[in-house]
Amino acid sequence: MVGTLALLTACGSAPDAAAPAESGSAATVVDGFKPCMVSDEGGFDDKSFNQLGFEGLERAANELGVEVTKTESASASDYASNLDGLVAANCTFIVSVGFNLSAPTVEAALANPDIEFAIIDDAADNDFDGTTDAPNIKPLLFDTAQAAFLGGYTAASYTQTGKVGTFGGAKIPPVTIFMDGFQSGVEYYNSQKGTDVQVVGWDSATQEGQFTNAFAANDVAKQLAQGIIDQDVDVLLPVGGPIYQSAAQAIRDSGGNIALLGVDADVYETDPSVADLLLVSILKGMDVAVHEAAMEAAAGGFDTTPFVGVLDNDGVGISSFHDFENEVALGLSDELETIRQGIIDGTIDAESVSSPAQG
């Protein structure tokens, strides 16, 4: 994983050009190819969502021997102006990071049909007619419910109190899909083991739960995490970029034996400061999807067919147990592999109401 990134922090600032490393590839690059990325409000140093997407674009640029230009959004009000800034900077391939950039990305794509766009975690279908709203946008989608199912099963296997918890940054599909899968995995564990592990913070049936309404590590996120921990929860899944940092603070303050689950990246690797708390991370291969889309665009073969990451193509998955390897139940890894195969072949239902259409 890359280290600390040089970031833009002010709205309206010019995009930041990151110099490429020595190219290790002889790949053909179309004349003038310029890859660019705009973050959501979590920022490129979130050690999760935005950072992982940027790593994929940076890896492609390094292989191609070109520069990456990036611009960071401090709030939702920056999205449109930041996209305009990338257009003005002569970007030829622009990646928007996140569901919340959908409408501004569609607007920018329609206004600039010669520029190729990709968007993470959204189909860019704001009129809900089943098609992408601009012909030059490639959606990068992930059925993280499949991977979160494995995370939920793991959490249910690990808990000593019989209660596991989750909360989100915002009530949007890329967040709730994790929570749906997590609950389904817990319920599957109960059905297989005859247990009654409960999920605090989310109810898939009603699609209601607890959210901070922002993607920021702050007191709101910490207090929400603490409120869930106070309900005798000993495994906690925060879904929303850096809000896991606030959850980790609440866990440490509680003094209890509480395990943390990461999302998007393997947080054990991206943030060693919380490594001792991490039971497992639920992975979303945004770096792989962005890298592939960028390489296609660079070679002049940009394809707007949506990428859908699932267990079968390793677009989603779970990390190793790292420091918890000797603390999880004996045989759990074998059980998870059996469940993984069941999800892939369709004998186990891990779908969420937010799961993207496949094929």
Side-chain angles (χ1 to χ4, degrees):
M1 295 294 180
V2 296
T4 303
L5 306 176
L7 304 178
L8 292 176
T9 56
C11 176
S13 297
D16 172 35
E22 288 294 324
S23 174
S25 170
T28 301
V29 184
V30 295
D31 187 43
F33 178 70
K34 185 174 183 179
C36 303
M37 179 172 281
V38 55
S39 79
D40 72 4
E41 61 188 279
F44 288 114
D45 196 27
D46 61 2
K47 298 179 174 59
S48 179
F49 186 73
N50 290 276
Q51 180 171 322
L52 192 61
F54 182 75
E55 287 172 0
L57 190 62
E58 187 177 52
R59 179 159 65 92
N62 287 345
E63 292 173 7
L64 296 164
V66 298
E67 291 186 351
V68 175
T69 296
K70 66 183 187 294
T71 182
E72 184 170 88
S73 304
S75 69
S77 62
D78 296 342
Y79 297 156
S81 59
N82 281 344
L83 283 163
D84 289 343
L86 293 179
V87 170
N90 297 316
C91 297
T92 64
F93 174 68
I94 299 175
V95 182
S96 297
V97 186
F99 175 91
N100 287 326
L101 278 94
S102 184
T105 301
V106 168
E107 183 177 354
L110 290 173
N112 300 278
D114 294 333
I115 298 177
E116 294 165 340
F117 289 81
I119 183 167
I120 296 172
D121 267 348
D122 188 69
D125 178 19
N126 295 297
D127 57 9
F128 304 105
D129 67 352
T131 60
T132 304
D133 293 343
N136 51 330
I137 299 178
K138 181 181 182 70
L140 307 177
L141 307 172
F142 304 87
D143 194 353
T144 44
Q146 294 188 353
F149 189 104
L150 301 177
Y153 189 93
T154 298
S157 172
Y158 180 81
T159 180
Q160 298 298 306
T161 65
K163 290 186 177 181
V164 299
T166 184
F167 68 101
K171 191 180 177 183
I172 57 176
V175 171
T176 61
I177 189 173
F178 276 97
M179 300 164 85
D180 281 342
F182 181 74
Q183 182 172 340
S184 294
V186 172
E187 292 173 349
Y188 186 76
Y189 181 87
N190 288 335
S191 71
Q192 297 298 299
K193 304 293 186 179
T195 52
D196 186 29
V197 177
Q198 300 174 37
V199 176
V200 176
W202 179 246
D203 182 350
S204 294
T206 63
Q207 292 287 292
E208 295 296 334
Q210 298 193 41
F211 299 91
T212 63
N213 297 315
F215 295 98
N218 54 27
D219 285 341
V220 173
K222 184 179 178 181
Q223 290 167 10
L224 188 51
Q226 186 61 61
I228 294 174
I229 291 169
D230 288 345
Q231 296 177 63
D232 207 24
V233 162
D234 64 352
V235 184
L236 185 58
L237 169 67
V239 186
I243 67 172
Y244 79 85
Q245 297 165 14
S246 300
Q249 291 175 1
I251 288 172
R252 295 199 191 283
D253 288 352
S254 74
N257 185 24
I258 300 163
L260 181 70
L261 270 69
V263 298
D264 299 330
D266 185 348
V267 181
Y268 184 96
E269 302 291 348
T270 60
D271 189 356
S273 73
V274 300
D276 60 308
L277 302 177
L278 280 162
L279 173 59
V280 73
S281 289
I282 301 165
L283 307 177
K284 181 191 292 188
M286 294 176 294
D287 53 339
V288 175
V290 170
H291 175 268
E292 290 184 2
M295 296 300 284
E296 287 178 358
F302 185 66
D303 179 4
T304 58
T305 302
F307 169 91
V308 180
V310 292
L311 289 174
D312 195 28
N313 63 12
D314 295 324
V316 299
I318 59 171
S319 70
S320 74
F321 299 127
H322 296 297
D323 293 350
F324 281 73
E325 196 69 50
N326 294 325
E327 298 188 38
V328 298
L330 187 66
L332 178 60
S333 293
D334 291 338
E335 290 180 39
L336 291 173
E337 179 56 28
T338 299
I339 295 168
R340 178 180 177 275
Q341 292 301 326
I343 294 171
I344 290 172
D345 67 28
T347 57
I348 296 176
D349 182 8
E351 282 197 15
S352 159
V353 296
S354 300
S355 290
Q358 299 172 32

mmCIF file of all heavy atoms in Angstrom, residues 93 116-118 135-140 289 292-307:
data_model
loop_
_atom_site.group_PDB
_atom_site.id
_atom_site.type_symbol
_atom_site.label_atom_id
_atom_site.label_comp_id
_atom_site.label_asym_id
_atom_site.label_seq_id
_atom_site.Cartn_x
_atom_site.Cartn_y
_atom_site.Cartn_z
ATOM 1 N N PHE A 93 -9.210 10.604 -18.787
ATOM 2 C CA PHE A 93 -9.869 9.504 -18.080
ATOM 3 C C PHE A 93 -10.040 9.922 -16.629
ATOM 4 O O PHE A 93 -9.050 10.162 -15.928
ATOM 5 C CB PHE A 93 -9.035 8.227 -18.176
ATOM 6 C CG PHE A 93 -9.565 7.077 -17.365
ATOM 7 C CD1 PHE A 93 -10.764 6.457 -17.700
ATOM 8 C CD2 PHE A 93 -8.850 6.590 -16.275
ATOM 9 C CE1 PHE A 93 -11.243 5.391 -16.953
ATOM 10 C CE2 PHE A 93 -9.321 5.520 -15.527
ATOM 11 C CZ PHE A 93 -10.523 4.920 -15.870
ATOM 12 N N GLU A 116 -13.424 10.036 -21.047
ATOM 13 C CA GLU A 116 -13.891 8.758 -20.524
ATOM 14 C C GLU A 116 -13.932 8.812 -19.001
ATOM 15 O O GLU A 116 -12.974 9.266 -18.358
ATOM 16 C CB GLU A 116 -12.963 7.641 -21.018
ATOM 17 C CG GLU A 116 -13.060 7.470 -22.530
ATOM 18 C CD GLU A 116 -11.940 6.656 -23.141
ATOM 19 O OE1 GLU A 116 -10.879 6.528 -22.481
ATOM 20 O OE2 GLU A 116 -12.122 6.165 -24.270
ATOM 21 N N PHE A 117 -15.039 8.366 -18.447
ATOM 22 C CA PHE A 117 -15.259 8.424 -17.001
ATOM 23 C C PHE A 117 -15.481 7.015 -16.446
ATOM 24 O O PHE A 117 -16.013 6.140 -17.127
ATOM 25 C CB PHE A 117 -16.498 9.258 -16.667
ATOM 26 C CG PHE A 117 -16.349 10.738 -16.892
ATOM 27 C CD1 PHE A 117 -16.484 11.276 -18.174
ATOM 28 C CD2 PHE A 117 -16.099 11.607 -15.839
ATOM 29 C CE1 PHE A 117 -16.357 12.649 -18.400
ATOM 30 C CE2 PHE A 117 -15.981 12.974 -16.046
ATOM 31 C CZ PHE A 117 -16.101 13.494 -17.325
ATOM 32 N N ALA A 118 -15.102 6.828 -15.190
ATOM 33 C CA ALA A 118 -15.475 5.639 -14.435
ATOM 34 C C ALA A 118 -15.938 6.117 -13.067
ATOM 35 O O ALA A 118 -15.450 7.131 -12.557
ATOM 36 C CB ALA A 118 -14.300 4.675 -14.298
ATOM 37 N N PRO A 135 -23.143 7.835 -22.115
ATOM 38 C CA PRO A 135 -22.518 6.724 -22.837
ATOM 39 C C PRO A 135 -21.015 6.596 -22.614
ATOM 40 O O PRO A 135 -20.408 5.645 -23.111
ATOM 41 C CB PRO A 135 -22.823 7.053 -24.296
ATOM 42 C CG PRO A 135 -22.939 8.549 -24.328
ATOM 43 C CD PRO A 135 -23.565 8.922 -23.019
ATOM 44 N N ASN A 136 -20.415 7.528 -21.890
ATOM 45 C CA ASN A 136 -18.969 7.517 -21.669
ATOM 46 C C ASN A 136 -18.599 7.297 -20.204
ATOM 47 O O ASN A 136 -17.539 7.729 -19.748
ATOM 48 C CB ASN A 136 -18.329 8.803 -22.196
ATOM 49 C CG ASN A 136 -19.023 10.064 -21.686
ATOM 50 O OD1 ASN A 136 -20.213 10.073 -21.429
ATOM 51 N ND2 ASN A 136 -18.272 11.155 -21.566
ATOM 52 N N ILE A 137 -19.476 6.602 -19.449
ATOM 53 C CA ILE A 137 -19.207 6.282 -18.046
ATOM 54 C C ILE A 137 -19.170 4.767 -17.866
ATOM 55 O O ILE A 137 -20.082 4.057 -18.290
ATOM 56 C CB ILE A 137 -20.280 6.854 -17.100
ATOM 57 C CG1 ILE A 137 -20.345 8.377 -17.189
ATOM 58 C CG2 ILE A 137 -19.973 6.438 -15.644
ATOM 59 C CD1 ILE A 137 -21.423 8.989 -16.306
ATOM 60 N N LYS A 138 -18.128 4.282 -17.197
ATOM 61 C CA LYS A 138 -18.025 2.864 -16.844
ATOM 62 C C LYS A 138 -18.268 2.714 -15.342
ATOM 63 O O LYS A 138 -17.472 3.193 -14.525
ATOM 64 C CB LYS A 138 -16.643 2.314 -17.176
ATOM 65 C CG LYS A 138 -16.467 0.815 -16.861
ATOM 66 C CD LYS A 138 -15.060 0.356 -17.204
ATOM 67 C CE LYS A 138 -14.891 -1.141 -16.945
ATOM 68 N NZ LYS A 138 -15.652 -1.969 -17.924
ATOM 69 N N PRO A 139 -19.363 2.051 -14.935
ATOM 70 C CA PRO A 139 -19.585 1.805 -13.507
ATOM 71 C C PRO A 139 -18.664 0.702 -12.994
ATOM 72 O O PRO A 139 -18.467 -0.319 -13.661
ATOM 73 C CB PRO A 139 -21.050 1.361 -13.449
ATOM 74 C CG PRO A 139 -21.659 1.790 -14.753
ATOM 75 C CD PRO A 139 -20.541 1.685 -15.742
ATOM 76 N N LEU A 140 -18.114 0.903 -11.805
ATOM 77 C CA LEU A 140 -17.284 -0.089 -11.122
ATOM 78 C C LEU A 140 -18.039 -0.487 -9.851
ATOM 79 O O LEU A 140 -18.053 0.261 -8.864
ATOM 80 C CB LEU A 140 -15.908 0.489 -10.784
ATOM 81 C CG LEU A 140 -15.132 1.111 -11.957
ATOM 82 C CD1 LEU A 140 -13.816 1.707 -11.469
ATOM 83 C CD2 LEU A 140 -14.900 0.093 -13.067
ATOM 84 N N ALA A 289 -10.267 -2.964 -9.963
ATOM 85 C CA ALA A 289 -11.222 -2.458 -10.949
ATOM 86 C C ALA A 289 -10.731 -1.171 -11.595
ATOM 87 O O ALA A 289 -10.829 -0.998 -12.822
ATOM 88 C CB ALA A 289 -12.580 -2.230 -10.287
ATOM 89 N N GLU A 292 -7.734 -1.896 -13.979
ATOM 90 C CA GLU A 292 -8.150 -2.506 -15.244
ATOM 91 C C GLU A 292 -8.821 -1.484 -16.160
ATOM 92 O O GLU A 292 -8.558 -1.453 -17.369
ATOM 93 C CB GLU A 292 -9.083 -3.678 -14.977
ATOM 94 C CG GLU A 292 -8.388 -4.879 -14.357
ATOM 95 C CD GLU A 292 -9.308 -6.080 -14.195
ATOM 96 O OE1 GLU A 292 -10.493 -5.980 -14.608
ATOM 97 O OE2 GLU A 292 -8.849 -7.105 -13.671
ATOM 98 N N ALA A 293 -9.695 -0.647 -15.587
ATOM 99 C CA ALA A 293 -10.373 0.359 -16.399
ATOM 100 C C ALA A 293 -9.382 1.366 -16.974
ATOM 101 O O ALA A 293 -9.494 1.784 -18.139
ATOM 102 C CB ALA A 293 -11.436 1.077 -15.567
ATOM 103 N N ALA A 294 -8.409 1.762 -16.160
ATOM 104 C CA ALA A 294 -7.401 2.721 -16.619
ATOM 105 C C ALA A 294 -6.538 2.132 -17.734
ATOM 106 O O ALA A 294 -6.223 2.815 -18.722
ATOM 107 C CB ALA A 294 -6.524 3.168 -15.455
ATOM 108 N N MET A 295 -6.163 0.879 -17.581
ATOM 109 C CA MET A 295 -5.335 0.239 -18.607
ATOM 110 C C MET A 295 -6.106 0.105 -19.925
ATOM 111 O O MET A 295 -5.537 0.284 -21.009
ATOM 112 C CB MET A 295 -4.853 -1.122 -18.117
ATOM 113 C CG MET A 295 -3.935 -1.068 -16.896
ATOM 114 S SD MET A 295 -2.403 -0.119 -17.137
ATOM 115 C CE MET A 295 -1.451 -1.303 -18.111
ATOM 116 N N GLU A 296 -7.397 -0.205 -19.835
ATOM 117 C CA GLU A 296 -8.229 -0.265 -21.039
ATOM 118 C C GLU A 296 -8.268 1.096 -21.733
ATOM 119 O O GLU A 296 -8.093 1.201 -22.956
ATOM 120 C CB GLU A 296 -9.662 -0.676 -20.683
ATOM 121 C CG GLU A 296 -9.852 -2.128 -20.317
ATOM 122 C CD GLU A 296 -11.281 -2.439 -19.921
ATOM 123 O OE1 GLU A 296 -12.116 -1.491 -19.891
ATOM 124 O OE2 GLU A 296 -11.590 -3.605 -19.626
ATOM 125 N N ALA A 297 -8.516 2.139 -20.935
ATOM 126 C CA ALA A 297 -8.604 3.482 -21.502
ATOM 127 C C ALA A 297 -7.274 3.908 -22.110
ATOM 128 O O ALA A 297 -7.231 4.520 -23.186
ATOM 129 C CB ALA A 297 -9.041 4.467 -20.420
ATOM 130 N N ALA A 298 -6.181 3.580 -21.432
ATOM 131 C CA ALA A 298 -4.855 3.969 -21.925
ATOM 132 C C ALA A 298 -4.527 3.324 -23.259
ATOM 133 O O ALA A 298 -3.838 3.910 -24.100
ATOM 134 C CB ALA A 298 -3.787 3.603 -20.901
ATOM 135 N N ALA A 299 -5.042 2.110 -23.464
ATOM 136 C CA ALA A 299 -4.753 1.376 -24.699
ATOM 137 C C ALA A 299 -5.750 1.681 -25.804
ATOM 138 O O ALA A 299 -5.670 1.102 -26.889
ATOM 139 C CB ALA A 299 -4.739 -0.115 -24.409
ATOM 140 N N GLY A 300 -6.686 2.588 -25.521
ATOM 141 C CA GLY A 300 -7.686 2.938 -26.525
ATOM 142 C C GLY A 300 -8.815 1.934 -26.621
ATOM 143 O O GLY A 300 -9.583 1.944 -27.587
ATOM 144 N N GLY A 301 -8.945 1.074 -25.600
ATOM 145 C CA GLY A 301 -9.985 0.050 -25.618
ATOM 146 C C GLY A 301 -10.991 0.219 -24.500
ATOM 147 O O GLY A 301 -11.476 -0.764 -23.940
ATOM 148 N N PHE A 302 -11.314 1.459 -24.156
ATOM 149 C CA PHE A 302 -12.240 1.743 -23.056
ATOM 150 C C PHE A 302 -13.593 1.090 -23.311
ATOM 151 O O PHE A 302 -14.197 1.252 -24.367
ATOM 152 C CB PHE A 302 -12.407 3.248 -22.888
ATOM 153 C CG PHE A 302 -13.241 3.652 -21.702
ATOM 154 C CD1 PHE A 302 -12.806 3.396 -20.418
ATOM 155 C CD2 PHE A 302 -14.454 4.300 -21.882
ATOM 156 C CE1 PHE A 302 -13.572 3.780 -19.313
ATOM 157 C CE2 PHE A 302 -15.216 4.691 -20.795
ATOM 158 C CZ PHE A 302 -14.779 4.427 -19.508
ATOM 159 N N ASP A 303 -14.061 0.318 -22.341
ATOM 160 C CA ASP A 303 -15.317 -0.426 -22.463
ATOM 161 C C ASP A 303 -16.224 -0.005 -21.311
ATOM 162 O O ASP A 303 -15.864 -0.164 -20.140
ATOM 163 C CB ASP A 303 -15.024 -1.927 -22.401
ATOM 164 C CG ASP A 303 -16.274 -2.786 -22.492
ATOM 165 O OD1 ASP A 303 -17.377 -2.234 -22.669
ATOM 166 O OD2 ASP A 303 -16.138 -4.024 -22.377
ATOM 167 N N THR A 304 -17.400 0.517 -21.616
ATOM 168 C CA THR A 304 -18.291 1.023 -20.573
ATOM 169 C C THR A 304 -19.143 -0.068 -19.932
ATOM 170 O O THR A 304 -19.957 0.236 -19.053
ATOM 171 C CB THR A 304 -19.212 2.118 -21.146
ATOM 172 O OG1 THR A 304 -19.968 1.578 -22.243
ATOM 173 C CG2 THR A 304 -18.411 3.322 -21.602
ATOM 174 N N THR A 305 -18.965 -1.326 -20.330
ATOM 175 C CA THR A 305 -19.676 -2.412 -19.661
ATOM 176 C C THR A 305 -19.332 -2.395 -18.172
ATOM 177 O O THR A 305 -18.154 -2.349 -17.806
ATOM 178 C CB THR A 305 -19.275 -3.773 -20.247
ATOM 179 O OG1 THR A 305 -19.550 -3.779 -21.645
ATOM 180 C CG2 THR A 305 -20.029 -4.907 -19.567
ATOM 181 N N PRO A 306 -20.329 -2.396 -17.278
ATOM 182 C CA PRO A 306 -20.023 -2.322 -15.853
ATOM 183 C C PRO A 306 -19.136 -3.476 -15.383
ATOM 184 O O PRO A 306 -19.307 -4.622 -15.809
ATOM 185 C CB PRO A 306 -21.409 -2.402 -15.191
ATOM 186 C CG PRO A 306 -22.357 -1.900 -16.228
ATOM 187 C CD PRO A 306 -21.787 -2.367 -17.540
ATOM 188 N N PHE A 307 -18.171 -3.145 -14.537
ATOM 189 C CA PHE A 307 -17.404 -4.160 -13.823
ATOM 190 C C PHE A 307 -18.177 -4.481 -12.550
ATOM 191 O O PHE A 307 -18.569 -3.573 -11.810
ATOM 192 C CB PHE A 307 -16.015 -3.632 -13.464
ATOM 193 C CG PHE A 307 -15.257 -4.524 -12.507
ATOM 194 C CD1 PHE A 307 -14.429 -5.525 -12.992
ATOM 195 C CD2 PHE A 307 -15.382 -4.373 -11.129
ATOM 196 C CE1 PHE A 307 -13.735 -6.359 -12.117
ATOM 197 C CE2 PHE A 307 -14.692 -5.196 -10.248
ATOM 198 C CZ PHE A 307 -13.869 -6.193 -10.743
#
